[in-house]
Each structure stands twice: as structure tokens, then as C-alpha cells.
Amino acid sequence: MPHATARERRTRRRGLRRRFTARDLAVIGVLLGFAILLDLFIIWGPTVASITLSFSSWDGLSDLNWVGGDNYDTLAGGDYPPFWPAVRNNLLWIAFLGLVATPFGLLLAVVIDRGVRFSRFYQSTIYLPVVLSLAVVGFIAQLVFSRDQGALNAILGNQDNPTDWLGDRDLNIWMVLLAAGWRHTGYVMILYLAGLKAVAPELKEAAAIDGANERQTFLRVVFPTMRPVNVVVLVITIIESLRAFDIVYAINKGRNGLELLSVLVTDNIIGEASRIGFGSAIAVVLLTVSLGFIVTYLVQEMRGEERR
């Protein structure tokens, strides 16, 4: 059997040589090699550097001083006050986008997929915020939720005693989440619209013949069929939640109740303090949280595929 396997490998190699000339293989090698080197330089290089620097105390100019796990002890022990509020806010972003904005985007996709009148108009209008960056969404949020000249206070008639939607620590995080959810909903809607179009009509017809109503058909047939789309939506939701930066920085530089891990990384690495080692430790925490959510879900999905 091993001899037959070796023969098959030689046969496949000969077939590969017949299909591709030496020049073709050289071009493929150069293109793949360039892409791999670029990936290593842009993504994995800084990742490894951040992990390494997180065990140091360095300002970018003086000598590198290794401090072991002191940076992580400072974060865990509460000696850096903005850290735990930032962790709480990042988890709140995940919960809001995952449990509110994402289901709402799915609902809109289902309604539009049924062919309601002016569905093209609704689809374009709801998707429009997706083409805007979160920084622009942050500026729009300021126009809407501003205390003195905001549209919301004008609509509510609160000019005499205006509500400080973005200055009140108990309110501003929810206003920002509404603005971010407004953008995220359109993105999710488009993804689920594509998934709904890919569901075979025969599956719905078979469910109807078996006596399933529309709700049962969607929950037991359509939604499970869109499993690949569900994975993509979940990963995008987690990434969008954890990399959020622009919108809170545009509003108040991510302070006064809008702290996020990404803002703390920026403030420590390129801010006045230049605590590159400490900022790298926060970046590693952010990376760990991101990988924890995504890897856990993907492993469960792969195990589910193996069972099926």
C-alpha cells in the first residue's frame, strides 16, 4: 500500500508539471511568497512584537527594561483605573451588537426577502450607513445627541433643560451603541439577504407540505441552512465590537464613560506617556479576548460538522 501511495504522488507531480511550466510555477511561488511575507510583516510581526514588548517597560527611546508580568499585574490589580471599565464596555458592545443589532438586521433581511414594495429602496437606505466610517458615524452622533444643538433634544423639546446625552456617563455609552448598531444593522442585513437567496425553495416547499408554518419553517429549516452565514456574521460582530475605536475617539477621545481597550492601547503607545510595554500588554489582552470568542465558536462549529 505505501508503494502504491508513492506511485500516486509521483503521478500527481508529473500531472502538475504538465499543467504548469517552470515559469508558471516561478510566478506562483513569487506571488504566494510576496503575500506570505506581507502577511508576516503587517500582521504576525507586530503581533509577536506586541506579545514580547508586553513583558517590558519601554518608552521607545530609552533602553528596554524587562519587567516580566508586572504590566499584567497592574491591569488585573486595578492599579490602572480605566482598564476594567474598558473591558466592561467592550463586552457591552459585543452583547448589544450580537443580541440587538444583529437580530434586527436579520429581521429586516427576512422582511425585505419577502418582496415587500419598494424593497430596493429600503435595502439601499438601510445599507447606506455601512459605507460610512465609524469616525463619520461619531460626528453624526454628535450632531444628533449634542446637548446644546443636538437634533434629539430639539425633537424632544428639551432646549430649556437639555439632556447631556454624550456627557452623562450613564447615558453616553448607550447613545454610542445606538449609532454603532445603526451601521452594523445594515451590514448584517446584506449578509443575511445573500444567505436567504441561497436557500433552496424546495426546502421551504417540503416544510410547508409537512405542515410547518412560516415561523417553524424559518427556525427549523431556513436558519440552520444559513449556518455558514451565521458563522461569518458572528465573527464580524465580535471583530466589530472589539476593534471599535473611531466613533468614541471622535466624540470625546474615548473618555468619560466611553473607554475601550483599543483607545487605551492608543493612549499608552502613541500618547504623551509613551508606555509602549504597558500599551502592548493591553493589546495582548484585546487579542486574547478576540481569539477566545472566535476560536471557541469555530471549534464548536467544526465539531458540529463532524457529528453531521
Side-chain angles (χ1 to χ4, degrees):
M1 188 69 182
H3 180 68
T5 302
R7 186 185 305 164
E8 291 174 359
R9 291 175 180 169
R10 288 195 297 270
T11 303
R12 284 196 295 269
R13 283 198 293 268
R14 292 194 196 99
L16 185 63
R17 294 192 190 98
R18 292 193 193 100
R19 288 196 301 270
F20 298 103
T21 64
R23 181 179 177 180
D24 293 335
L25 294 175
V27 171
I28 293 173
V30 170
L31 294 177
L32 286 177
F34 179 76
I36 292 172
L37 289 175
L38 191 63
D39 184 68
L40 291 173
F41 180 75
I42 295 177
I43 298 177
W44 294 108
T47 300
V48 174
S50 295
I51 295 173
T52 304
L53 290 173
S54 69
F55 297 100
S56 71
S57 175
W58 187 45
D59 60 5
L61 297 174
S62 59
D63 294 335
L64 194 66
N65 181 28
W66 298 104
V67 295
D70 289 354
N71 290 328
Y72 296 101
D73 290 338
T74 301
L75 293 175
D79 296 329
Y80 183 58
F83 176 70
W84 287 112
V87 173
R88 181 201 63 199
N89 287 343
N90 271 116
L91 294 177
L92 191 58
W93 272 70
I94 294 175
F96 185 86
L97 294 187
L99 301 178
V100 178
T102 296
F104 188 55
L106 174 59
L107 175 63
L108 293 175
V110 171
V111 172
I112 292 176
D113 184 63
R114 290 182 177 180
V116 296
R117 293 184 61 186
F118 309 114
S119 60
R120 294 289 184 183
F121 172 77
Y122 297 141
Q123 182 175 331
S124 302
T125 303
I126 297 170
Y127 182 75
L128 184 61
V130 181
V131 304
L132 305 176
S133 69
L134 277 174
V136 175
V137 174
F139 292 130
I140 294 174
Q142 285 182 306
L143 295 175
V144 175
F145 301 120
S146 175
R147 178 182 182 274
D148 298 320
Q149 299 177 346
L152 182 58
N153 278 332
I155 293 173
L156 297 177
N158 289 345
Q159 283 89 349
D160 295 334
N161 187 23
T163 302
D164 195 357
W165 302 103
L166 298 179
D168 189 336
R169 294 177 63 93
D170 296 328
L171 295 175
N172 56 11
I173 184 64
W174 300 108
M175 300 302 105
V176 170
L177 286 174
L178 283 175
W182 171 59
R183 180 179 183 272
H184 185 72
T185 296
Y187 197 3
V188 171
M189 180 198 69
I190 289 296
L191 292 174
Y192 274 121
L193 270 176
L196 289 169
K197 300 296 183 186
V199 176
E202 292 81 5
L203 295 176
K204 299 179 184 178
E205 294 172 1
I209 292 173
D210 290 339
N213 56 35
E214 290 188 4
R215 178 176 173 274
Q216 292 171 333
T217 300
F218 178 78
L219 293 177
R220 299 180 182 180
V221 177
V222 176
F223 191 72
T225 304
M226 295 192 298
R227 182 176 293 272
V229 179
N230 295 332
V231 174
V232 172
V233 168
L234 179 73
V235 171
I236 288 175
T237 299
I238 293 173
I239 292 175
E240 286 289 319
S241 303
L242 295 178
R243 77 179 183 90
F245 171 83
D246 317 50
I247 183 170
V248 297
Y249 207 80
I251 291 175
N252 68 352
K253 298 187 182 299
R255 296 166 185 164
N256 189 35
L258 297 182
E259 294 84 359
L260 292 174
L261 290 175
S262 57
V263 175
L264 300 186
V265 172
T266 304
D267 285 345
N268 281 278
I269 291 181
I270 65 175
E272 296 180 1
S274 294
R275 303 167 68 187
I276 296 179
F278 190 71
S280 297
I282 302 175
V284 172
V285 172
L286 183 58
L287 173 66
T288 303
V289 174
S290 305
L291 291 178
F293 277 106
I294 294 172
V295 171
T296 299
Y297 185 79
L298 292 180
V299 167
Q300 291 178 348
E301 285 295 315
M302 287 186 289
R303 288 177 178 173
E305 290 292 338
E306 290 177 358
R307 295 192 198 102
R308 287 190 292 274

